[in-house]
Amino acid sequence: MKVSICTISFRHQLTSLKEIATFARANGFDGIELWGVHARNLAKTPLLNAEWLATQGLSVPMVSDYLPTDEDDRLVRARAARLCEHAVRWGAPLIRTFAGARGSLDVGPEERATIVARLRAICAVAEAHGLALAVETHPHTLADCLASTRRLAEEVDHPAFALNFDALHVWEGGDDVVAAHRALKPWIRHHHLKNVRARADLGVFEPANVYAANGRREGMTPLFAGALDYAPLLEEIAGDPTVAASLEWFGDDVLETLARDRLELQARLAAAAPLGAAQGG
């Protein structure tokens, strides 16, 4: 498994990309997932790019942003094209977005058709840049449960459509994580891994709380200290060198938590990998 860290983890800290890269390399990470706003700001520093990152032994698996799905088609395509340009600069094969901003049960047929059309348009732009669009499994979107997510993939029906499988949010939606992973595997290109103390604490991942500098962090836990048992999923994917994932940490003690989680993840992947398979690194 290729494992990355996310620059969004450093959203409230004065930590440079060079410092993040040094930390990532020293702690066994394979890449750095760039938050869209960070990618846009780094465009002003041309010497920092895919070639520079490769000298650090790292790559960018995905540039994660929030593209509109309810605006004029030309605007959607223009914003998607700009995001793709940033992804190309960093050698990232994926751009990430969400499937709307309302849950599948709250969206009527007409609104759903509009979101599907916008996602298909973004896929076309991504394909033209040699990329794929990864839609994230996430509450309050059309990818909030297995049934709607699979239906969405079939509705968009584009070769550049992919999924970013956020295991915690799949669990939050009420589906068995392994069963959902198997059902969605044809579209899964990346994974987000994080955990929470209890279902009652899932509100800590609401965007308004996550992005607030003074937001609540209590309830966010290290990867293997929360309510979601990752063992079954790791058994499912261990030994597969094509699997890519990011440790998505929004709490305090960023460096310490990510370093510990990476070390424990490596150990658990090695233990879970089938005999003779490539061990998770």
Side-chain angles (χ1 to χ4, degrees):
M1 178 195 287
K2 299 292 187 182
V3 184
S4 299
I5 57 177
C6 306
T7 62
I8 194 174
S9 296
F10 301 87
R11 64 204 178 284
H12 301 310
Q13 301 184 34
L14 290 173
T15 307
S16 70
L17 185 64
K18 290 183 178 180
E19 291 172 311
I20 294 173
T22 298
F23 166 80
R25 185 178 66 246
N27 286 277
F29 287 95
D30 302 289
I32 300 175
E33 179 186 325
L34 281 178
W35 199 20
V37 66
H38 291 156
R40 288 190 288 275
N41 287 331
L42 285 166
K44 302 172 184 176
T45 313
L47 293 180
L48 298 182
N49 53 28
E51 290 73 21
W52 167 79
L53 200 59
T55 67
Q56 312 301 306
L58 302 167
S59 61
V60 174
M62 185 163 69
V63 177
S64 296
D65 210 0
Y66 317 93
L67 294 170
T69 55
D70 58 353
E71 296 182 0
D72 178 79
D73 183 67
R74 288 175 297 179
L75 176 61
V76 171
R77 288 176 179 272
R79 287 190 57 178
R82 288 195 292 271
L83 182 61
C84 286
E85 290 166 3
H86 291 300
V88 168
R89 175 177 176 237
W90 286 99
L94 298 170
I95 56 171
R96 191 278 331 247
T97 197
F98 295 129
R102 297 205 300 153
S104 58
L105 295 180
D106 299 320
V107 173
E110 185 175 340
E111 183 180 353
R112 186 178 182 104
T114 297
I115 295 171
V116 167
R118 294 294 181 271
L119 292 175
R120 190 180 299 118
I122 296 170
C123 284
V125 174
E127 184 179 46
H129 286 81
L131 312 175
L133 171 69
V135 169
E136 184 162 322
T137 55
H138 203 279
H140 312 303
T141 73
L142 293 187
D144 60 358
C145 66
L146 171 58
S148 183
T149 304
R150 182 159 189 165
R151 177 186 166 193
L152 180 68
E154 293 169 348
E155 288 171 328
V156 175
D157 189 25
H158 195 285
F161 180 89
L163 291 172
N164 178 45
F165 187 89
D166 189 305
L168 184 70
H169 290 319
V170 170
W171 175 78
E172 179 179 358
D175 292 296
D176 177 84
V177 173
V178 171
H181 193 274
R182 290 176 180 173
L184 298 172
K185 189 174 181 179
W187 298 281
I188 296 173
R189 290 280 299 276
H190 199 75
H191 302 72
H192 272 173
L193 308 179
K194 58 179 177 284
N195 217 329
V196 71
R197 181 175 55 191
R199 282 192 177 273
D201 295 305
L202 284 165
V204 297
F205 294 116
E206 289 289 338
N209 182 69
V210 164
Y211 303 142
N214 61 346
R216 183 166 71 92
R217 307 295 179 240
E218 184 181 353
M220 298 178 180
T221 72
L223 192 60
F224 299 104
L228 174 58
D229 178 10
Y230 269 94
L233 179 61
L234 294 185
E235 290 175 3
E236 184 76 8
I237 62 180
D240 185 347
T242 68
V243 172
S246 296
L247 299 185
E248 195 178 34
W249 174 248
F250 295 119
D252 299 323
D253 302 321
V254 176
L255 298 179
E256 297 86 346
T257 303
L258 288 173
R260 287 197 304 269
D261 276 356
R262 178 66 184 107
L263 192 62
E264 187 164 359
L265 176 60
Q266 181 173 346
R268 292 192 179 219
L269 283 169
L275 187 64
Q279 300 293 301

